């Protein structure tokens, strides 16, 4: 699940990057549009997350097997939709496309490590900091087990926690999408890092 989420985020960002880059020539405009689009993407993802929680809650009354079957069907339909309905974002003449295909290798799962070696010390530090800040985001089943064993949270209460998380995600990402256009990427990034540190420090200090 965690691997799938990571690959989905990378793929969707690549699609947005290619689309936005082809629609404008200004680097500043591209960067701001990219950040704004990512905010709206995360807001839509949070809405889907909320819909999934509510739907799963209704299906659980019919048994866990039904929930997993419906989830599998949704996954298969999504894969089919991407395969049949998603068009290539980087349209190029056939000759140019053939040249590019010969000269480039397909990206690997470890291609992100190039950020640590090819673009200088500042990008390397920024990449490491980003990884450290996002590590707590993907606790997955660990968080659910923690809620059960440490907080004695019931299934209904846990569903409520996730619903609140999804609602906050919709509101914050929608607001962030607008804010990044107003204050610029540098100030927005500083604000995002400080906000993230507040929640980390609060978790460490108060549990």
């Amino acid at each position: 699940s965690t691997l799938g989420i990571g690959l989905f985020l990378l793929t969707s960002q690549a699609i947005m990057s290619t689309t936005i880059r082809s629609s404008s020539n200004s680097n500043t405009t591209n960067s701001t549009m990219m950040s704004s689009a990512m905010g709206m993407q995360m807001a839509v993802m949070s809405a889907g997350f909320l819909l999934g929680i509510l739907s799963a809650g209704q299906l659980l009354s019919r048994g866990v097997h039904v929930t997993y079957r419906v989830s599998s069907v949704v996954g298969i339909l999504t894969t089919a939709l991407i395969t049949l309905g998603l068009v290539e974002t980087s349209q190029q003449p056939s000759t140019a496309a053939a040249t590019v295909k010969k000269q480039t290798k397909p990206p690997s799962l470890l291609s992100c490590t190039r950020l640590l070696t090819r673009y200088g010390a500042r990008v390397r530090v920024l990449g490491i900091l980003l990884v450290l800040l996002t590590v707590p985001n993907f606790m997955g089943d660990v968080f659910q087990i923690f809620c059960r064993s440490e907080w004695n949270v019931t299934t209904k209460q846990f569903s409520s926690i996730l619903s609140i998380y999804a609602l906050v995600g919709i509101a914050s990402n929608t607001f962030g999408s607008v804010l990044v256009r107003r204050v610029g990427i540098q100030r927005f990034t500083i604000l995002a890092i400080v906000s993230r540190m507040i929640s980390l420090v609060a978790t460490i200090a108060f549990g």
Side-chain angles (χ1 to χ4, degrees):
S1 175
T2 301
L3 180 62
I5 291 172
L7 291 175
F8 168 76
L9 291 175
L10 288 174
T11 304
S12 59
Q13 288 176 20
I15 293 170
M16 285 192 295
S17 178
T18 305
T19 304
I20 292 171
R21 187 168 28 194
S22 62
S23 65
S24 175
N25 295 321
S26 169
N27 289 333
T28 303
T29 303
N30 282 348
S31 300
T32 304
M33 288 177 61
M34 179 69 176
S35 300
S36 180
M38 286 174 61
M40 292 308 300
Q41 176 211 6
M42 296 301 292
V44 172
M45 284 178 59
S46 296
F49 185 58
L50 177 62
L51 180 62
I53 293 168
L54 298 176
S55 301
Q58 295 297 319
L59 290 171
L60 276 174
S61 60
R62 302 183 181 182
V64 176
H65 294 291
V66 175
T67 306
Y68 275 88
R69 286 169 187 163
V70 172
S71 178
S72 299
V73 169
V74 172
I76 292 170
L77 291 176
T78 303
T79 304
L81 178 62
I82 293 172
T83 303
L84 302 174
L86 182 64
V87 298
E88 175 59 57
T89 56
S90 182
Q91 296 290 348
Q92 298 175 339
S94 57
T95 54
T99 304
V100 170
K101 190 173 183 180
K102 289 181 181 178
Q103 293 178 347
T104 59
K105 296 180 180 179
S108 68
L109 292 177
L110 298 177
S111 60
C112 58
T113 56
R114 295 173 188 166
L115 289 172
L116 303 177
T117 58
R118 294 191 177 183
Y119 301 100
R122 296 179 68 183
V123 173
R124 186 183 306 116
V125 171
L126 184 61
I128 293 171
L129 288 175
L130 180 62
V131 169
L132 293 176
L133 284 171
T134 54
V135 163
N137 287 355
F138 296 99
M139 292 176 66
D141 297 336
V142 175
F143 179 65
Q144 186 171 358
I145 295 170
F146 181 85
C147 287
R148 282 275 189 169
S149 61
E150 299 297 325
W151 293 346
N152 297 318
V153 171
T154 64
T155 302
K156 185 176 181 180
Q157 290 171 332
F158 184 74
S159 178
S160 298
I161 292 173
L162 294 184
S163 297
I164 294 171
Y165 179 82
L167 290 171
V168 171
I170 295 171
S172 61
N173 284 297
T174 303
F175 177 71
S177 179
V178 176
L179 184 64
V180 69
R181 285 184 252 172
R182 299 286 182 89
V183 303
I185 292 177
Q186 187 178 38
R187 291 180 179 177
F188 181 83
T189 304
I190 293 172
L191 178 62
I193 292 174
V194 171
S195 299
R196 185 66 187 140
M197 291 305 299
I198 291 173
S199 63
L200 291 175
V201 171
T203 302
I204 294 170
F206 306 110

